């Protein structure tokens, strides 16, 4: 999940068009200065007027659950203005960060703010974190929801309830996103789509293509073209070793 604390002009966020038509969106754009973004099963498009200034923090979903004390399924496939979650402290924090003259001091202030909230927020379930890591690793115990639930000692219904509360998506929805992220990394490494489909557990290449279309609004080939032709695309990825962003020129 992503926390953005902006110091200047707002970002305009829209949804990616599933048909992949340039400039088209599926919902009206919304402007944010500071926001929290939940887990998404489809891409979003962020725009600004050429100047973006602020801090972006990537965090595990259950960390956001503890910090912001709200069920994560309320944020799934959506973004929320930070002030709607925290009230005046969100404005105070963003203002203080903007006024501090150095990045080291900014990070120290933000660390102190988040640490204080983490101490008093609801704790994440250790069993849920373990289940997430099984899905990330693709281990055998995570091959089905029933096996995963049995391994952590919960019913399938309780496992799903905990996933929605502290992660935002169901176990199946989470596995779908993680599988897609794995496919995107392999595609970025120039593996053929047919090999990627087999390696990631898709039924066939057509299944992979459908998932790409549904989750990015683009075919795999178009996704690669836009990513490799985008200016400074590598610097936009928010996690090392993860493919998170594509530059869309002329939108």
């Amino acid at each position: 999940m992503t926390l953005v604390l902006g110091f200047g002009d707002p970002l305009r966020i829209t949804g990616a068009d599933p048909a992949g038509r340039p400039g088209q969106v599926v919902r009206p754009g919304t402007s944010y200065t500071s926001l929290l973004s939940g887990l998404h099963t489809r891409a979003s498009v962020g725009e600004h007027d050429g100047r973006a200034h602020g801090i972006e923090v990537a965090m595990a979903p259950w960390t956001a659950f503890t910090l912001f004390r709200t069920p994560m399924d309320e944020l799934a496939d959506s973004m929320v203005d930070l002030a709607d979650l925290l009230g005046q402290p969100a404005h105070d924090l963003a203002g203080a960060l903007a006024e501090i003259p150095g990045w080291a001091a900014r990070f120290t202030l933000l660390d102190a703010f988040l640490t204080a909230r983490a101490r008093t927020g609801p704790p994440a379930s250790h069993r849920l974190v373990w289940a997430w890591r099984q899905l990330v690793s693709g281990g055998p115990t995570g091959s089905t929801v029933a096996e995963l639930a049995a391994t952590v000692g919960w019913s399938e219904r309780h496992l799903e309830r905990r996933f929605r509360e502290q992660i935002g998506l169901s176990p199946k929805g989470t596995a779908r996103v993680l599988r897609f992220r794995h496919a995107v990394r392999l595609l970025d490494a120039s593996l053929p789509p047919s090999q990627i489909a087999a390696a990631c557990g898709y039924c066939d290449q057509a299944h992979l293509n459908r998932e790409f279309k549904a989750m990015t609004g683009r075919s795999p080939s178009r996704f690669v073209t836009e990513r490799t032709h985008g200016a400074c695309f590598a610097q936009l990825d928010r996690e090392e070793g993860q493919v998170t962003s594509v530059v869309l020129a002329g939108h």
Side-chain angles (χ1 to χ4, degrees):
M1 295 184 64
T2 304
L3 169 67
V4 174
L5 294 153
F7 306 157
D9 295 340
L11 298 172
R12 295 183 300 277
I13 308 293
T14 59
D17 175 48
R21 294 167 294 183
Q24 298 298 310
V25 299
V26 295
R27 61 182 184 273
T30 304
S31 294
Y32 301 92
T33 300
S34 297
L35 64 88
L36 180 65
S37 174
L39 289 191
H40 280 63
T41 58
R42 57 182 179 268
S44 58
V45 178
E47 299 176 286
H48 57 81
D49 294 326
R51 182 185 163 115
H53 189 46
I55 297 176
E56 185 176 64
V57 183
M59 64 183 70
W62 56 85
T63 300
F65 169 74
T66 297
L67 290 173
F68 299 103
R69 305 159 196 187
T70 189
M72 291 295 97
D73 57 355
E74 295 182 6
L75 300 178
D77 277 314
S78 65
M79 301 178 185
V80 62
D81 193 299
L82 195 60
D84 291 339
L85 282 177
L86 302 183
Q88 187 60 39
H91 296 294
D92 295 342
L93 175 62
L97 290 170
E99 291 176 3
I100 292 176
W103 287 107
R106 283 173 174 153
F107 295 151
T108 298
L109 173 62
L110 181 57
D111 283 346
F113 178 86
L114 296 178
T115 299
R117 290 192 62 85
R119 289 196 186 107
T120 57
S125 165
H126 294 299
R127 285 194 264 185
L128 175 130
V129 174
W130 185 90
W132 164 280
R133 288 172 177 162
Q134 288 300 301
L135 291 176
V136 170
S137 67
T141 56
S143 58
T144 69
V145 174
E147 290 173 345
L148 195 58
T151 303
V152 298
W154 288 340
S155 67
E156 291 182 53
R157 184 175 180 181
H158 187 71
L159 178 70
E160 176 153 350
R161 185 163 58 246
R162 283 299 186 96
F163 260 75
R164 290 189 182 279
E165 176 193 49
Q166 298 187 22
I167 289 179
L169 302 175
S170 68
K172 282 188 176 181
T174 301
R176 181 189 179 209
V177 171
L178 293 172
R179 177 173 62 176
F180 174 76
R181 290 181 66 176
H182 185 203
V184 171
R185 289 197 299 273
L186 296 181
L187 188 68
D188 199 52
S190 301
L191 266 68
S194 59
Q195 291 185 23
I196 295 172
C200 296
Y202 292 103
C203 296
D204 51 30
Q205 186 174 335
H207 185 197
L208 171 67
N209 291 342
R210 289 194 301 272
E211 283 290 271
F212 252 86
K213 199 77 165 181
M215 299 180 79
T216 70
R218 280 149 177 79
S219 66
S221 60
R222 181 175 171 186
F223 182 91
V224 169
T225 297
E226 289 180 337
R227 179 168 167 80
T228 56
H229 289 180
C232 302
F233 69 88
Q235 287 87 344
L236 290 180
D237 288 333
R238 297 188 294 276
E239 291 183 69
E240 186 176 354
Q242 299 284 349
V243 179
T244 66
S245 305
V246 168
V247 175
L248 302 178
H251 282 206

